[in-house]
């Protein structure tokens, strides 16, 4: 192989797919869905084509993933076709390799279908399939001067939050934990709360997701913030007015600054008053039992996972906690996570948490580094190997 082949890195998230060549600095962020708008009856929007849509109210979603697993292949194929095609990366499929992520504890049938699509339909030259946390811990190890023995990745994604321990680059699958709270649960809960208290918004997933990203934050002292939220007038420093888009004059919703927050709409505006919703929604990550999900919060689960490991691994794990996934971008998440985890960590251990600059794209960045590693050839399955040995070689080689 004299010529250097292009490698595509695809972090195929259930909410947001991150895709690009290993030589790119940043990935292309693409909503992993097909959308239909009420205002445009004649057209469907694939992935980031939604940016062309003028009216984003009452969107209808076709999602390839349900409850964290890839079930809707037709939809996913259309998105991948767009991604690799002339409007996307313009991939020369025969002469390209791909590094692609898949969900934790993925089903064999889904893995087989995935291999079939990449090898038989797209005919990629070689495929490497792994979990996003593998790429995150790979990047973390490469960036440290002294390579850590163990690390633990918190992946707070769209469908779930996973906690995955690694030792010497191998995933400890039997100690992996899952919490059934992700970005989707929080957005849906926000829709229900606002529909019940103020305004019927059950169809406005897109707008409410923007609202969640614009105004929600993780409280450092939940009870104190609840007290402030009960106050009236100027004493309440938490309440904010969020102006909803009308798609004629206001193209995107925005938060009014504190001094302009009165709770009353000006002429022609439609507002949602965000008070304690700002911090009670992200609180679900730390207390899933608030909405009847009887599981541990994220900080407790990290400590619980580490404590279930052999004692000699534990100090290494506490020293290399990596926070990834879109929910880690919430203001206040990192400091709350560190404080809560520290309070449960034995005193004799140091705690060191890594918060990447962009937690959403951290795994993708790890993929671009892995693509340049000479070891990737041994880890991948080539098209010839697949044609000769079928699915079995993929099950042998890929640690998922």
């Amino acid at each position: 192989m004299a010529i250097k082949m292009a490698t595509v890195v695809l972090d195929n998230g259930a909410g947001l797919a991150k895709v690009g060549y290993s030589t790119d600095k940043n990935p292309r962020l693409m909503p992993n869905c097909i959308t239909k708008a009420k205002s445009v009856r004649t057209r469907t929007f694939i992935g980031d084509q939604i940016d062309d849509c003028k009216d984003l109210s009452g969107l209808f979603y076709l999602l390839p993933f349900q409850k964290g697993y890839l079930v809707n292949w037709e939809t996913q194929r259309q998105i991948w076709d767009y991604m690799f095609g002339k409007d996307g990366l313009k991939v020369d499929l025969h002469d390209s390799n791909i590094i692609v992520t898949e969900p934790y504890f993925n089903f064999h049938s889904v893995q087989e279908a995935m291999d079939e699509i990449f090898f038989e339909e797209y005919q990629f030259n070689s495929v490497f399939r792994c979990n996003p946390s593998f790429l995150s811990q790979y990047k973390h190890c490469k960036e440290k001067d002294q390579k850590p023995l163990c690390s633990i990745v918190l992946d707070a994604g769209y469908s779930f939050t996973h906690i995955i321990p690694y030792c010497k680059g191998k995933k400890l699958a039997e100690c992996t934990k899952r919490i059934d709270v992700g970005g989707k649960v929080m957005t849906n809960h926000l829709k229900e709360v606002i529909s019940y208290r103020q305004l019927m918004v059950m169809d406005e997933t897109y707008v409410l997701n923007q609202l969640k990203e614009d105004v929600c934050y993780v409280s450092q002292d939940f009870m104190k913030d609840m007290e402030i939220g009960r106050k009236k007038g100027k004493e309440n420093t938490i309440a904010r007015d969020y102006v909803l888009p009308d798609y004629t004059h206001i193209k995107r919703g925005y938060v009014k600054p504190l001094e302009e927050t009165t709770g009353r709409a000006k002429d022609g505006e439609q507002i949602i008053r965000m008070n304690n919703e700002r911090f009670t929604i992200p609180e679900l990550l730390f207390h899933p039992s608030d909405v009847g999900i009887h599981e541990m919060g994220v900080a407790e689960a990290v400590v619980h996972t580490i404590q279930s490991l052999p004692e000699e691994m534990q100090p290494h794990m506490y020293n290399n906690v990596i926070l990834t996934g879109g929910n880690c971008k919430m203001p206040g998440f990192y400091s709350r996570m560190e404080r809560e985890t520290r309070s449960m960590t034995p005193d004799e251990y140091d705690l060191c948490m890594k918060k990447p600059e962009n937690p959403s794209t951290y795994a993708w960045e790890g993929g671009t580094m892995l693509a340049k590693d000479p070891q990737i050839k041994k880890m991948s399955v080539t098209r010839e190997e697949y044609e000769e040995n079928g699915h079995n070689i993929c099950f042998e080689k890929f640690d998922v």
Side-chain angles (χ1 to χ4, degrees), residues 8-20 27-30 32 65 80 83 98-104 130-133 135-136 155 324-325 359-365 367:
V8 176
V9 182
L10 166 60
D11 183 2
N12 197 44
L16 193 67
K18 284 70 70 177
V19 65
R28 221 173 129 164
L29 303 177
M30 215 173 269
N32 201 355
F65 282 78
W80 282 342
M83 224 180 250
I98 188 166
I99 294 174
V100 60
T101 66
E102 59 167 328
Y104 307 92
C130 62
N131 299 135
S133 59
L135 301 175
S136 300
D155 186 353
T324 65
S360 295
T361 59
Y362 193 69
W364 181 88
E365 289 159 20

Side-chain angles (χ1 to χ4, degrees), residues 49-85:
Q49 290 179 343
I50 193 62
D51 300 341
D52 309 338
C53 183
K54 299 283 185 282
D55 185 347
L56 299 166
S57 58
L59 292 181
F60 176 72
Y61 284 89
L62 291 167
L63 299 166
F65 282 78
Q66 293 295 333
K67 293 195 167 63
Y69 293 100
L70 182 45
V71 289
N72 193 341
W73 287 102
E74 279 308 303
T75 308
Q76 187 64 83
R77 282 246 290 287
Q78 278 177 270
I79 297 164
W80 282 342
D81 286 345
Y82 168 70
M83 224 180 250
F84 303 140

Side-chain angles (χ1 to χ4, degrees), residues 34-315:
I34 294 177
T35 22
K36 293 178 181 177
K38 282 179 182 167
S39 55
V40 193
R41 290 293 165 108
T42 50
R43 180 179 171 193
T44 55
F45 298 94
I46 301 174
D48 58 7
Q49 290 179 343
I50 193 62
D51 300 341
D52 309 338
C53 183
K54 299 283 185 282
D55 185 347
L56 299 166
S57 58
L59 292 181
F60 176 72
Y61 284 89
L62 291 167
L63 299 166
F65 282 78
Q66 293 295 333
K67 293 195 167 63
Y69 293 100
L70 182 45
V71 289
N72 193 341
W73 287 102
E74 279 308 303
T75 308
Q76 187 64 83
R77 282 246 290 287
Q78 278 177 270
I79 297 164
W80 282 342
D81 286 345
Y82 168 70
M83 224 180 250
F84 303 140
K86 62 181 194 312
D87 296 331
L89 295 178
K90 304 183 181 67
V91 181
D92 181 3
L93 297 163
H94 279 272
D95 292 333
S96 299
N97 307 319
I98 188 166
I99 294 174
V100 60
T101 66
E102 59 167 328
Y104 307 92
F105 309 118
N106 202 1
F107 301 107
H108 273 345
S109 55
V110 177
Q111 291 174 330
E112 285 184 10
M114 222 165 161
D115 295 335
E116 255 168 54
I117 287 176
F118 285 127
F119 280 122
E120 294 176 22
E121 290 197 22
Y122 291 131
Q123 299 208 332
F124 274 103
N125 182 60
S126 80
V127 173
F128 177 62
R129 194 159 43 73
C130 62
N131 299 135
S133 59
F134 174 79
L135 301 175
S136 300
Q137 64 85 34
Y138 176 85
K139 180 169 163 67
H140 175 70
C141 290
K142 284 282 184 230
E143 284 174 342
K144 282 231 165 175
D145 302 332
Q146 203 177 353
K147 193 177 174 187
L149 274 173
C150 307
S151 57
I152 186 162
V153 183
L154 172 88
D155 186 353
Y158 177 73
S159 312
F160 303 124
T161 299
H162 283 93
I163 291 139
I164 313 97
Y166 280 84
C167 184
K168 296 181 181 166
K170 280 266 178 283
K171 178 174 68 179
L172 307 172
E174 65 286 351
C175 298
T176 299
K177 298 278 180 283
R178 181 179 96 183
I179 303 166
D180 296 337
V181 175
K184 190 179 189 177
V185 169
M186 293 195 282
T187 302
N188 287 344
H189 185 53
L190 180 62
K191 284 197 302 192
E192 283 172 18
V193 168
I194 287 180
S195 298
Y196 180 67
R197 294 180 186 172
Q198 300 184 51
L199 184 68
M200 181 60 189
V201 288
M202 289 308 282
D203 292 339
E204 304 300 336
T205 310
Y206 191 88
V207 178
L208 268 274
N209 196 52
Q210 282 183 338
L211 172 118
K212 178 189 79 177
E213 289 171 6
D214 291 350
V215 273
C216 287
Y217 68 93
V218 176
S219 167
Q220 302 307 309
D221 183 342
F222 187 77
M223 283 311 172
K224 186 178 162 208
D225 280 358
M226 281 303 258
E227 286 298 317
I228 297 170
R230 287 193 187 99
K231 292 178 177 170
K232 297 275 185 284
K234 289 273 181 275
E235 288 181 344
N236 184 345
T237 52
I238 287 173
R240 294 282 188 283
D241 290 342
Y242 189 84
V243 181
L244 293 171
D246 56 11
Y247 297 112
T248 46
H249 309 298
I250 307 164
K251 295 284 183 268
R252 191 191 189 288
Y254 62 92
V255 194
K256 284 190 174 183
L258 184 59
E259 51 276 8
E260 287 179 34
T261 297
T262 56
R264 283 184 287 279
K266 291 203 181 101
D267 41 51
E269 278 180 351
Q270 196 172 24
I271 63 165
I272 286 180
R273 173 89 162 165
M274 291 288 283
N275 193 10
N276 63 17
E277 297 87 354
R278 288 186 64 197
F279 58 87
T280 53
I281 301 298
E283 191 65 22
L284 299 183
L285 285 166
F286 293 89
H287 293 107
S289 53
D290 290 355
V291 287
I293 297 171
H294 299 299
E295 294 172 10
M296 295 177 190
V298 280
E300 199 182 339
V302 166
V303 174
H304 178 75
T305 305
I306 295 176
Q307 285 175 351
S308 69
L309 296 164
E311 206 164 305
E312 58 272 21
M313 278 188 196
Q314 293 183 17

